[in-house]
Each structure stands twice: as structure tokens, then as C-alpha cells.
Amino acid sequence: MGLLCSRNKHYNEADNEENAQTAEIERRIEQETKAEKHIQKLLLLGAGESGKSTIFKQIKLLFQTGFDEAELKSYISVIHANVYQTIKILYDGSKELAQNNRETYEISSENKEIGEKLSKIGSRLDYPRLTKELAQDIETLWKDAAIQETYARGNELQVPDCANYFMENLQRLADANYIPTKEDVLYARVRTTGVVEIQFSPVGENKKSGEVYRLFDVGGQRNERRKWIHLFEGVTAVIFCAAVSEYDQTLFEDESKNRMMETKELFDWVLKQPCFEKTSFMLFLNKFDIFEKKVLNVPLNVCEWFKDYQPVSTGKQEIEHAYEFVKKKFEELYFQSTTPDRVDRVFKIYRTTALDQKLVKKTFKLVDETLRRRNLFEAGLL
Amino acid sequence: MNKRFRQSFMSFADSCLAGESVHFYEEVHELGKIPVDDPVRRIYMARHIIDKYITAGATMEVNISHRSRQAILTTSNLAQPNLFNDALNELIQLMKMNLANDYWSSTYFMKFKEEASMRSHELQQMTSLGTLPLPG
């Protein structure tokens, strides 16, 4: 005993210092936990190419410092890759389609050589910087009647949504001093893998800073979804993106599966997660810009989920009617997949075009208001 | 490419829940070291890679296109040297676009740099992700 005491005495000074350090660490952890409690956790979920990352980029633009020149420039290689990949998909696609219909899909003989060259570049690991000459070649091929016919069947070929936008801007993208615009960056397609997050606080016109949010973006393909569950704890709201324009397309990772059917099953699965009992759901019916162009040409009922759809009119009226039909389907699905003990969680549907900055700003303001009201309600103040 | 660098990059990718692409890359790299005249070992290794990374629902399934996956799953020759090339190509693009920029500013790279500066020749060897070579 005496021995123990004397030993203790020997270490006393060091111990005191250590204790103080431990206390300080504990105090900080407590402080951080308190601060963390304030932070609202938001998850962007949805199938592949539903627009999650575009919303994520918009939030960065709106509530963080935006993109500086270095960040804009880092998108040059992505955008050029989008161009090379698009033209390769279209050229290879037209060759395949031509096997059954030469008249429509056979590339004119003078463009075949260009096509072969570009297709080779497209399968390389490192793409060359887009020069004026290459841009000219791509433009020539893009304007080939067979490529345009192939593009009209883009829904069967995994052509990215940005295809037309970048093809219409080739000369600008090939400029030696090209710096991507904000719009170019929003259009740029990067398949997300893993998880990225940002923290932000939406500052309104009156400069009064509101809630602090931490927003998580994830990959949407099937293999990515097994990672989602790591994020499911303590979520304030899920922003679920569903691309309403994709009712006639198949999955990137499984071309035997319709994208809308996948989204239906995915939304159902997310809604039933035990962790989300009290989580608010913000459903973004996204890509309305593509939907409104498509729906007049491609009837909604090509998709099994919408097979009971009957068009009623033409033009703008028909677009609204079709959209309301889709919205109703999702609404029904929500209530079917929500057990009675969860009926008091918040559910809102928004019509969005993730590329449209004004619309996303407006939409996020509504989301923010809804969540703040919800907090007051939870605290018994409303 | 430098082994330490690859390990540092892999730890970073794992921390972003995007590690399976890098692990796949490593294993295909290992497959590339098995001589072509040893088809039995090649097939054994190829099967292992398919079960772990390619089959739908695999524990470390990678994010590749339907087309690339089907080409691998329906091949008649598991010993062929180009079996995983298309998949690898897609995944290298994916890594470049998702992970490269964030890696250069991560603590993982800082730590690697620090350690490598003690072995300066290695830092010189280390090149940008843009020159990730195809294994094999």
C-alpha cells in the first residue's frame, strides 16, 4: 500500500496535466455534440441519374462561395470526356441499329472514317484536349442524318442528358482559353461513387442566417446503395430525387429494368426504413424540362406503372395532366408505403428542374421553411 | 505505380465509401502478373474477381455499365488477358472524376507526401492519377 502511494505521488504532476487534458477533450466533445445536435442532416437519395449531384452542385453555388476559377477549370476534362463519350455512344449505336435498318442508320460514307477515329478516342483511357479540328469532326458527325436518327432513340442507348447541350456548344468548348461557365458545370455529367458532404446555412434576403444543414450526396446505381445505410441514422429529411422524364429508359447498370419501375421500388424501400420513422420526405419530381418535351411524343403508358394513363388533350394542358398523373402515383405510393404510426411525418412534393438555379433556390427555401416549422412544432412551440 | 501511393489512395477511397473501385484495380493488377501460359491460375483468379466485384449483388460490386458486366459474365474464355479491360476503363474514369481532386487535398495525400519526402525518389516517381496505367 505504502509503495503504491509513493508511486502515485511520483506521477502526480503528470497525472494532473493529463486529467486537465482529458477534461478539456471531454468538454470539447460535449460542445461539439451540442453543436451537432443543431445541425440538420439531409440526405439526397434516388436512383442513378435522378439529379442528386446537380442539386448538390446548386446548393454549393447558392449557399457556399460558388465555384472559383480553379474549380471551374477542373471541369474541363469532365466536359470533354462527356463529349467524347457521347459521340462514341452515338456512333457505335448507329452501327448497331444499321444492322437491321441500313437506310436510316447507316452513316454516310464520307463520315465513316471520322466516326471510327472518334470511336477509338472514346474508348481510350486518356482523352486528348478538345481541339478546334476535333470539335469540327465531332460536329460533322453529330449533324449526320444517321446520328440524328440514332440520337432520337437515345433512350435505348444510355446517352447522357447533357449530350445536346454540349454538342450545340462545341466550338466554345474547344477554345484554347475555354473556362467552363456555371451552366456548363451544372450540365457536366459525373457518375457519383461513394459519399460527399457539405455544410451550409441558407442565408435569406434579410441576412438572417437560419438553420445549419449538412447535406450528403451519394451514388445512385444499385452497387452504391449498399453504402447508404451508413448514413441513415439521425436524418432530419430525405430529399428523394425521381427523374420523371425517365419513364421510357432503362438503368445504366441493368438494361432489362425500366428506370421508373426501379425508382418506384426504391422509394418504397426507403420509405419503409426503420430509421426514417420521423424523417421528413421531400420528393423532387425532377427533370421536368425533359419531361415536358418528351411527354407529347412518348406516351406515359409505355411504362408499366403508368399503363392506365389516358391522354386527354394536347399541348400545355396535356403536359400538366400527365405530370399530375405521375405526381398522384407517387402520392399513392407514399401513403401505401407509410404505416399508420408514421403518418405524422412530413411529406412534400416539388416539381423541379435541377439545372434551373432560380427554381432550385425557390424550392430549397420552401424546404427550409417546412423543416423550420417542423422543428418548432416538435419543440412544442407551434 | 508506387505501392505506397496506391495504398494511400486506397485508404482515402475507402474513407469515402468508394474503395471497391480501387480494390478491384489492385486485384486485376495482380491477375495481370499471372503468366498467360498458366490458364488454370488465371481462371481461378478471374472467378474470384467476378464473384467479389462483378456479379450483381456481390459484396464489393463495382459501379460499371450493364454492357461491361454482361460481357464479362458471358465470356467463353476466362483466361483471356483483356477480360476486365472495359470495366477497368470505366472505373478509372470514375475514380478520376470522383476521387482525384479530393485526394490531392486530403490528409491521406499530405501524410503520403510527408513520408515520401523522406524518400524523395519515390515522390518523383509518383505521377498524377491521369497516368494511371492499365495493369497487365
Side-chain angles (χ1 to χ4, degrees), chain A residues 162-201:
Chain A
C162 61
N164 190 65
Y165 175 78
F166 287 140
M167 289 298 160
E168 296 298 321
N169 284 282
L170 280 170
Q171 284 307 319
R172 182 170 61 83
L173 307 186
D175 196 287
N177 301 313
Y178 169 57
I179 294 172
T181 63
K182 214 165 61 180
E183 202 179 14
D184 294 346
V185 170
L186 288 169
Y187 268 97
R189 166 70 186 150
V190 175
R191 200 160 79 250
T192 305
T193 182
V195 178
V196 276
E197 57 173 283
I198 46 167
Q199 197 165 304
F200 66 97
S201 183

mmCIF file of all heavy atoms in Angstrom, chain A residues 162-201:
data_model
loop_
_atom_site.group_PDB
_atom_site.id
_atom_site.type_symbol
_atom_site.label_atom_id
_atom_site.label_comp_id
_atom_site.label_asym_id
_atom_site.label_seq_id
_atom_site.Cartn_x
_atom_site.Cartn_y
_atom_site.Cartn_z
ATOM 1 N N CYS A 162 -26.867 15.551 -71.037
ATOM 2 C CA CYS A 162 -26.126 16.748 -71.437
ATOM 3 C C CYS A 162 -25.725 16.718 -72.906
ATOM 4 O O CYS A 162 -25.169 17.692 -73.416
ATOM 5 C CB CYS A 162 -24.888 16.919 -70.565
ATOM 6 S SG CYS A 162 -23.720 15.537 -70.687
ATOM 7 N N ALA A 163 -25.992 15.606 -73.603
ATOM 8 C CA ALA A 163 -25.494 15.415 -74.970
ATOM 9 C C ALA A 163 -25.781 16.612 -75.878
ATOM 10 O O ALA A 163 -24.874 17.230 -76.422
ATOM 11 C CB ALA A 163 -26.096 14.143 -75.576
ATOM 12 N N ASN A 164 -27.051 16.964 -76.011
ATOM 13 C CA ASN A 164 -27.429 18.016 -76.934
ATOM 14 C C ASN A 164 -26.794 19.360 -76.568
ATOM 15 O O ASN A 164 -26.259 20.064 -77.411
ATOM 16 C CB ASN A 164 -28.955 18.145 -76.986
ATOM 17 C CG ASN A 164 -29.401 19.044 -78.107
ATOM 18 O OD1 ASN A 164 -29.207 18.720 -79.271
ATOM 19 N ND2 ASN A 164 -29.945 20.200 -77.751
ATOM 20 N N TYR A 165 -26.815 19.682 -75.273
ATOM 21 C CA TYR A 165 -26.257 20.956 -74.809
ATOM 22 C C TYR A 165 -24.792 21.100 -75.207
ATOM 23 O O TYR A 165 -24.384 22.115 -75.757
ATOM 24 C CB TYR A 165 -26.418 21.067 -73.287
ATOM 25 C CG TYR A 165 -25.766 22.295 -72.694
ATOM 26 C CD1 TYR A 165 -26.383 23.544 -72.793
ATOM 27 C CD2 TYR A 165 -24.529 22.214 -72.053
ATOM 28 C CE1 TYR A 165 -25.789 24.672 -72.252
ATOM 29 C CE2 TYR A 165 -23.926 23.329 -71.511
ATOM 30 C CZ TYR A 165 -24.557 24.554 -71.611
ATOM 31 O OH TYR A 165 -23.961 25.672 -71.082
ATOM 32 N N PHE A 166 -23.988 20.071 -74.945
ATOM 33 C CA PHE A 166 -22.568 20.180 -75.268
ATOM 34 C C PHE A 166 -22.321 20.136 -76.772
ATOM 35 O O PHE A 166 -21.430 20.806 -77.282
ATOM 36 C CB PHE A 166 -21.754 19.107 -74.544
ATOM 37 C CG PHE A 166 -21.600 19.378 -73.062
ATOM 38 C CD1 PHE A 166 -21.689 18.353 -72.123
ATOM 39 C CD2 PHE A 166 -21.362 20.669 -72.611
ATOM 40 C CE1 PHE A 166 -21.559 18.611 -70.755
ATOM 41 C CE2 PHE A 166 -21.224 20.947 -71.250
ATOM 42 C CZ PHE A 166 -21.319 19.922 -70.321
ATOM 43 N N MET A 167 -23.111 19.359 -77.501
ATOM 44 C CA MET A 167 -22.943 19.291 -78.949
ATOM 45 C C MET A 167 -23.258 20.634 -79.615
ATOM 46 O O MET A 167 -22.681 20.992 -80.633
ATOM 47 C CB MET A 167 -23.839 18.197 -79.543
ATOM 48 C CG MET A 167 -23.390 16.795 -79.205
ATOM 49 S SD MET A 167 -21.753 16.444 -79.848
ATOM 50 C CE MET A 167 -21.288 15.070 -78.835
ATOM 51 N N GLU A 168 -24.184 21.373 -79.012
ATOM 52 C CA GLU A 168 -24.539 22.679 -79.571
ATOM 53 C C GLU A 168 -23.489 23.737 -79.230
ATOM 54 O O GLU A 168 -23.545 24.859 -79.705
ATOM 55 C CB GLU A 168 -25.909 23.133 -79.042
ATOM 56 C CG GLU A 168 -27.081 22.250 -79.463
ATOM 57 C CD GLU A 168 -27.290 22.223 -80.965
ATOM 58 O OE1 GLU A 168 -27.133 23.281 -81.599
ATOM 59 O OE2 GLU A 168 -27.580 21.134 -81.502
ATOM 60 N N ASN A 169 -22.566 23.418 -78.352
ATOM 61 C CA ASN A 169 -21.579 24.404 -77.903
ATOM 62 C C ASN A 169 -20.139 23.998 -78.207
ATOM 63 O O ASN A 169 -19.204 24.496 -77.577
ATOM 64 C CB ASN A 169 -21.716 24.616 -76.383
ATOM 65 C CG ASN A 169 -22.925 25.469 -76.048
ATOM 66 O OD1 ASN A 169 -22.903 26.690 -76.194
ATOM 67 N ND2 ASN A 169 -23.998 24.825 -75.624
ATOM 68 N N LEU A 170 -19.969 23.099 -79.165
ATOM 69 C CA LEU A 170 -18.644 22.500 -79.391
ATOM 70 C C LEU A 170 -17.524 23.515 -79.630
ATOM 71 O O LEU A 170 -16.440 23.387 -79.055
ATOM 72 C CB LEU A 170 -18.712 21.526 -80.575
ATOM 73 C CG LEU A 170 -19.301 20.153 -80.240
ATOM 74 C CD1 LEU A 170 -19.552 19.363 -81.518
ATOM 75 C CD2 LEU A 170 -18.356 19.383 -79.320
ATOM 76 N N GLN A 171 -17.790 24.505 -80.468
ATOM 77 C CA GLN A 171 -16.715 25.448 -80.802
ATOM 78 C C GLN A 171 -16.237 26.200 -79.562
ATOM 79 O O GLN A 171 -15.042 26.409 -79.363
ATOM 80 C CB GLN A 171 -17.163 26.425 -81.899
ATOM 81 C CG GLN A 171 -17.195 25.794 -83.292
ATOM 82 C CD GLN A 171 -15.881 25.097 -83.691
ATOM 83 O OE1 GLN A 171 -14.782 25.595 -83.438
ATOM 84 N NE2 GLN A 171 -15.996 23.918 -84.296
ATOM 85 N N ARG A 172 -17.158 26.581 -78.720
ATOM 86 C CA ARG A 172 -16.795 27.286 -77.483
ATOM 87 C C ARG A 172 -15.979 26.367 -76.565
ATOM 88 O O ARG A 172 -14.984 26.767 -75.973
ATOM 89 C CB ARG A 172 -18.073 27.756 -76.777
ATOM 90 C CG ARG A 172 -17.830 28.547 -75.513
ATOM 91 C CD ARG A 172 -19.122 29.183 -74.993
ATOM 92 N NE ARG A 172 -20.160 28.204 -74.639
ATOM 93 C CZ ARG A 172 -20.212 27.580 -73.477
ATOM 94 N NH1 ARG A 172 -19.296 27.805 -72.567
ATOM 95 N NH2 ARG A 172 -21.173 26.711 -73.219
ATOM 96 N N LEU A 173 -16.392 25.098 -76.452
ATOM 97 C CA LEU A 173 -15.693 24.158 -75.570
ATOM 98 C C LEU A 173 -14.277 23.877 -76.057
ATOM 99 O O LEU A 173 -13.411 23.470 -75.286
ATOM 100 C CB LEU A 173 -16.436 22.817 -75.488
ATOM 101 C CG LEU A 173 -17.920 22.792 -75.120
ATOM 102 C CD1 LEU A 173 -18.403 21.365 -74.950
ATOM 103 C CD2 LEU A 173 -18.167 23.569 -73.847
ATOM 104 N N ALA A 174 -14.058 24.074 -77.380
ATOM 105 C CA ALA A 174 -12.762 23.746 -77.958
ATOM 106 C C ALA A 174 -11.814 24.937 -77.956
ATOM 107 O O ALA A 174 -10.664 24.823 -78.378
ATOM 108 C CB ALA A 174 -12.956 23.240 -79.388
ATOM 109 N N ASP A 175 -12.265 26.069 -77.485
ATOM 110 C CA ASP A 175 -11.413 27.250 -77.432
ATOM 111 C C ASP A 175 -10.207 26.985 -76.531
ATOM 112 O O ASP A 175 -10.329 26.383 -75.469
ATOM 113 C CB ASP A 175 -12.211 28.436 -76.895
ATOM 114 C CG ASP A 175 -11.522 29.755 -77.160
ATOM 115 O OD1 ASP A 175 -10.508 30.026 -76.477
ATOM 116 O OD2 ASP A 175 -11.978 30.487 -78.047
ATOM 117 N N ALA A 176 -9.048 27.450 -76.981
ATOM 118 C CA ALA A 176 -7.817 27.193 -76.221
ATOM 119 C C ALA A 176 -7.897 27.804 -74.819
ATOM 120 O O ALA A 176 -7.288 27.302 -73.879
ATOM 121 C CB ALA A 176 -6.615 27.756 -76.962
ATOM 122 N N ASN A 177 -8.644 28.916 -74.686
ATOM 123 C CA ASN A 177 -8.757 29.561 -73.372
ATOM 124 C C ASN A 177 -10.074 29.243 -72.674
ATOM 125 O O ASN A 177 -10.535 30.002 -71.821
ATOM 126 C CB ASN A 177 -8.639 31.087 -73.520
ATOM 127 C CG ASN A 177 -7.331 31.475 -74.133
ATOM 128 O OD1 ASN A 177 -6.274 30.983 -73.733
ATOM 129 N ND2 ASN A 177 -7.386 32.332 -75.146
ATOM 130 N N TYR A 178 -10.675 28.143 -73.064
ATOM 131 C CA TYR A 178 -12.007 27.805 -72.535
ATOM 132 C C TYR A 178 -12.019 27.669 -71.009
ATOM 133 O O TYR A 178 -11.215 26.949 -70.431
ATOM 134 C CB TYR A 178 -12.479 26.494 -73.175
ATOM 135 C CG TYR A 178 -13.714 25.885 -72.534
ATOM 136 C CD1 TYR A 178 -14.905 26.616 -72.436
ATOM 137 C CD2 TYR A 178 -13.693 24.587 -72.021
ATOM 138 C CE1 TYR A 178 -16.023 26.063 -71.847
ATOM 139 C CE2 TYR A 178 -14.812 24.012 -71.439
ATOM 140 C CZ TYR A 178 -15.979 24.771 -71.348
ATOM 141 O OH TYR A 178 -17.089 24.214 -70.754
ATOM 142 N N ILE A 179 -12.920 28.389 -70.391
ATOM 143 C CA ILE A 179 -13.201 28.189 -68.961
ATOM 144 C C ILE A 179 -14.687 27.880 -68.845
ATOM 145 O O ILE A 179 -15.526 28.649 -69.315
ATOM 146 C CB ILE A 179 -12.858 29.447 -68.133
ATOM 147 C CG1 ILE A 179 -11.352 29.695 -68.175
ATOM 148 C CG2 ILE A 179 -13.314 29.280 -66.675
ATOM 149 C CD1 ILE A 179 -10.933 30.998 -67.553
ATOM 150 N N PRO A 180 -15.048 26.757 -68.261
ATOM 151 C CA PRO A 180 -16.470 26.380 -68.193
ATOM 152 C C PRO A 180 -17.291 27.446 -67.459
ATOM 153 O O PRO A 180 -16.816 28.068 -66.510
ATOM 154 C CB PRO A 180 -16.447 25.070 -67.390
ATOM 155 C CG PRO A 180 -15.086 24.517 -67.603
ATOM 156 C CD PRO A 180 -14.179 25.695 -67.705
ATOM 157 N N THR A 181 -18.503 27.641 -67.936
ATOM 158 C CA THR A 181 -19.417 28.539 -67.244
ATOM 159 C C THR A 181 -20.113 27.739 -66.144
ATOM 160 O O THR A 181 -20.023 26.522 -66.098
ATOM 161 C CB THR A 181 -20.501 29.062 -68.196
ATOM 162 O OG1 THR A 181 -21.282 27.933 -68.657
ATOM 163 C CG2 THR A 181 -19.892 29.758 -69.395
ATOM 164 N N LYS A 182 -20.831 28.475 -65.301
ATOM 165 C CA LYS A 182 -21.611 27.832 -64.242
ATOM 166 C C LYS A 182 -22.577 26.817 -64.853
ATOM 167 O O LYS A 182 -22.744 25.703 -64.361
ATOM 168 C CB LYS A 182 -22.396 28.931 -63.519
ATOM 169 C CG LYS A 182 -22.588 28.722 -62.058
ATOM 170 C CD LYS A 182 -23.052 30.019 -61.391
ATOM 171 C CE LYS A 182 -24.383 30.505 -61.945
ATOM 172 N NZ LYS A 182 -24.865 31.753 -61.334
ATOM 173 N N GLU A 183 -23.184 27.240 -65.965
ATOM 174 C CA GLU A 183 -24.144 26.372 -66.630
ATOM 175 C C GLU A 183 -23.480 25.089 -67.146
ATOM 176 O O GLU A 183 -24.013 23.992 -66.987
ATOM 177 C CB GLU A 183 -24.827 27.125 -67.770
ATOM 178 C CG GLU A 183 -26.157 26.514 -68.146
ATOM 179 C CD GLU A 183 -26.856 27.262 -69.270
ATOM 180 O OE1 GLU A 183 -26.198 28.093 -69.934
ATOM 181 O OE2 GLU A 183 -28.045 26.995 -69.492
ATOM 182 N N ASP A 184 -22.292 25.239 -67.730
ATOM 183 C CA ASP A 184 -21.554 24.064 -68.224
ATOM 184 C C ASP A 184 -21.314 23.073 -67.079
ATOM 185 O O ASP A 184 -21.474 21.863 -67.245
ATOM 186 C CB ASP A 184 -20.182 24.468 -68.791
ATOM 187 C CG ASP A 184 -20.303 25.331 -70.042
ATOM 188 O OD1 ASP A 184 -21.408 25.396 -70.617
ATOM 189 O OD2 ASP A 184 -19.291 25.946 -70.431
ATOM 190 N N VAL A 185 -20.913 23.618 -65.934
ATOM 191 C CA VAL A 185 -20.616 22.760 -64.779
ATOM 192 C C VAL A 185 -21.873 22.026 -64.321
ATOM 193 O O VAL A 185 -21.834 20.841 -63.987
ATOM 194 C CB VAL A 185 -20.012 23.589 -63.629
ATOM 195 C CG1 VAL A 185 -19.918 22.770 -62.347
ATOM 196 C CG2 VAL A 185 -18.640 24.112 -64.016
ATOM 197 N N LEU A 186 -23.002 22.731 -64.334
ATOM 198 C CA LEU A 186 -24.250 22.085 -63.930
ATOM 199 C C LEU A 186 -24.641 20.970 -64.897
ATOM 200 O O LEU A 186 -25.154 19.935 -64.494
ATOM 201 C CB LEU A 186 -25.376 23.116 -63.829
ATOM 202 C CG LEU A 186 -25.275 24.072 -62.637
ATOM 203 C CD1 LEU A 186 -26.272 25.214 -62.771
ATOM 204 C CD2 LEU A 186 -25.491 23.330 -61.321
ATOM 205 N N TYR A 187 -24.372 21.198 -66.183
ATOM 206 C CA TYR A 187 -24.705 20.171 -67.179
ATOM 207 C C TYR A 187 -23.746 18.977 -67.135
ATOM 208 O O TYR A 187 -24.122 17.867 -67.491
ATOM 209 C CB TYR A 187 -24.684 20.770 -68.592
ATOM 210 C CG TYR A 187 -26.024 21.298 -69.064
ATOM 211 C CD1 TYR A 187 -26.349 22.643 -68.962
ATOM 212 C CD2 TYR A 187 -26.967 20.435 -69.627
ATOM 213 C CE1 TYR A 187 -27.575 23.129 -69.393
ATOM 214 C CE2 TYR A 187 -28.198 20.911 -70.069
ATOM 215 C CZ TYR A 187 -28.493 22.261 -69.952
ATOM 216 O OH TYR A 187 -29.705 22.738 -70.388
ATOM 217 N N ALA A 188 -22.496 19.214 -66.717
ATOM 218 C CA ALA A 188 -21.468 18.169 -66.773
ATOM 219 C C ALA A 188 -21.921 16.928 -66.016
ATOM 220 O O ALA A 188 -22.390 17.007 -64.889
ATOM 221 C CB ALA A 188 -20.164 18.695 -66.189
ATOM 222 N N ARG A 189 -21.759 15.780 -66.657
ATOM 223 C CA ARG A 189 -22.233 14.534 -66.062
ATOM 224 C C ARG A 189 -21.070 13.764 -65.432
ATOM 225 O O ARG A 189 -20.128 13.385 -66.133
ATOM 226 C CB ARG A 189 -22.922 13.681 -67.128
ATOM 227 C CG ARG A 189 -23.183 12.226 -66.747
ATOM 228 C CD ARG A 189 -24.258 12.071 -65.688
ATOM 229 N NE ARG A 189 -24.391 10.694 -65.244
ATOM 230 C CZ ARG A 189 -24.782 10.336 -64.026
ATOM 231 N NH1 ARG A 189 -25.062 11.257 -63.123
ATOM 232 N NH2 ARG A 189 -24.888 9.079 -63.689
ATOM 233 N N VAL A 190 -21.147 13.555 -64.122
ATOM 234 C CA VAL A 190 -20.201 12.682 -63.428
ATOM 235 C C VAL A 190 -21.009 11.663 -62.651
ATOM 236 O O VAL A 190 -21.855 12.038 -61.837
ATOM 237 C CB VAL A 190 -19.312 13.482 -62.441
ATOM 238 C CG1 VAL A 190 -18.425 12.533 -61.645
ATOM 239 C CG2 VAL A 190 -18.464 14.500 -63.162
ATOM 240 N N ARG A 191 -20.811 10.393 -62.930
ATOM 241 C CA ARG A 191 -21.476 9.370 -62.142
ATOM 242 C C ARG A 191 -20.839 9.381 -60.758
ATOM 243 O O ARG A 191 -19.635 9.211 -60.641
ATOM 244 C CB ARG A 191 -21.262 8.012 -62.829
ATOM 245 C CG ARG A 191 -22.251 6.946 -62.431
ATOM 246 C CD ARG A 191 -22.291 5.826 -63.458
ATOM 247 N NE ARG A 191 -21.181 4.902 -63.336
ATOM 248 C CZ ARG A 191 -20.173 4.778 -64.186
ATOM 249 N NH1 ARG A 191 -20.119 5.545 -65.265
ATOM 250 N NH2 ARG A 191 -19.222 3.913 -64.009
ATOM 251 N N THR A 192 -21.635 9.613 -59.731
ATOM 252 C CA THR A 192 -21.069 9.702 -58.383
ATOM 253 C C THR A 192 -20.813 8.312 -57.822
ATOM 254 O O THR A 192 -21.610 7.399 -58.005
ATOM 255 C CB THR A 192 -22.039 10.456 -57.445
ATOM 256 O OG1 THR A 192 -22.330 11.728 -58.017
ATOM 257 C CG2 THR A 192 -21.433 10.646 -56.059
ATOM 258 N N THR A 193 -19.680 8.153 -57.127
ATOM 259 C CA THR A 193 -19.463 6.938 -56.356
ATOM 260 C C THR A 193 -19.096 7.345 -54.939
ATOM 261 O O THR A 193 -18.418 8.352 -54.734
ATOM 262 C CB THR A 193 -18.370 6.034 -56.983
ATOM 263 O OG1 THR A 193 -18.253 4.845 -56.190
ATOM 264 C CG2 THR A 193 -17.021 6.711 -57.041
ATOM 265 N N GLY A 194 -19.595 6.589 -53.960
ATOM 266 C CA GLY A 194 -19.296 6.916 -52.573
ATOM 267 C C GLY A 194 -20.172 8.031 -52.031
ATOM 268 O O GLY A 194 -21.304 8.218 -52.478
ATOM 269 N N VAL A 195 -19.629 8.769 -51.076
ATOM 270 C CA VAL A 195 -20.404 9.778 -50.355
ATOM 271 C C VAL A 195 -19.629 11.087 -50.307
ATOM 272 O O VAL A 195 -18.433 11.081 -50.041
ATOM 273 C CB VAL A 195 -20.648 9.309 -48.904
ATOM 274 C CG1 VAL A 195 -21.413 10.361 -48.123
ATOM 275 C CG2 VAL A 195 -21.401 7.987 -48.882
ATOM 276 N N VAL A 196 -20.300 12.191 -50.575
ATOM 277 C CA VAL A 196 -19.697 13.513 -50.336
ATOM 278 C C VAL A 196 -20.662 14.356 -49.517
ATOM 279 O O VAL A 196 -21.875 14.139 -49.558
ATOM 280 C CB VAL A 196 -19.350 14.268 -51.642
ATOM 281 C CG1 VAL A 196 -18.008 13.833 -52.184
ATOM 282 C CG2 VAL A 196 -20.419 14.080 -52.705
ATOM 283 N N GLU A 197 -20.125 15.292 -48.771
ATOM 284 C CA GLU A 197 -20.997 16.110 -47.933
ATOM 285 C C GLU A 197 -20.553 17.561 -47.914
ATOM 286 O O GLU A 197 -19.383 17.870 -48.132
ATOM 287 C CB GLU A 197 -21.002 15.568 -46.507
ATOM 288 C CG GLU A 197 -19.624 15.499 -45.867
ATOM 289 C CD GLU A 197 -19.690 15.124 -44.388
ATOM 290 O OE1 GLU A 197 -20.032 15.991 -43.564
ATOM 291 O OE2 GLU A 197 -19.382 13.966 -44.077
ATOM 292 N N ILE A 198 -21.519 18.440 -47.690
ATOM 293 C CA ILE A 198 -21.195 19.850 -47.433
ATOM 294 C C ILE A 198 -22.054 20.337 -46.285
ATOM 295 O O ILE A 198 -23.125 19.803 -46.012
ATOM 296 C CB ILE A 198 -21.455 20.785 -48.652
ATOM 297 C CG1 ILE A 198 -22.820 20.499 -49.294
ATOM 298 C CG2 ILE A 198 -20.336 20.733 -49.645
ATOM 299 C CD1 ILE A 198 -23.239 21.566 -50.270
ATOM 300 N N GLN A 199 -21.545 21.372 -45.637
ATOM 301 C CA GLN A 199 -22.311 22.002 -44.573
ATOM 302 C C GLN A 199 -22.615 23.424 -45.013
ATOM 303 O O GLN A 199 -21.752 24.090 -45.584
ATOM 304 C CB GLN A 199 -21.474 21.988 -43.298
ATOM 305 C CG GLN A 199 -22.295 22.240 -42.063
ATOM 306 C CD GLN A 199 -21.520 21.858 -40.817
ATOM 307 O OE1 GLN A 199 -21.057 20.739 -40.663
ATOM 308 N NE2 GLN A 199 -21.359 22.816 -39.937
ATOM 309 N N PHE A 200 -23.824 23.862 -44.793
ATOM 310 C CA PHE A 200 -24.164 25.214 -45.223
ATOM 311 C C PHE A 200 -25.318 25.754 -44.390
ATOM 312 O O PHE A 200 -25.997 25.016 -43.684
ATOM 313 C CB PHE A 200 -24.540 25.228 -46.709
ATOM 314 C CG PHE A 200 -25.811 24.472 -46.995
ATOM 315 C CD1 PHE A 200 -27.029 25.135 -47.108
ATOM 316 C CD2 PHE A 200 -25.793 23.093 -47.142
ATOM 317 C CE1 PHE A 200 -28.198 24.434 -47.358
ATOM 318 C CE2 PHE A 200 -26.959 22.378 -47.391
ATOM 319 C CZ PHE A 200 -28.168 23.054 -47.495
ATOM 320 N N SER A 201 -25.482 27.044 -44.515
ATOM 321 C CA SER A 201 -26.573 27.691 -43.820
ATOM 322 C C SER A 201 -27.242 28.628 -44.801
ATOM 323 O O SER A 201 -26.612 29.552 -45.302
ATOM 324 C CB SER A 201 -26.002 28.471 -42.637
ATOM 325 O OG SER A 201 -27.046 29.035 -41.916
#
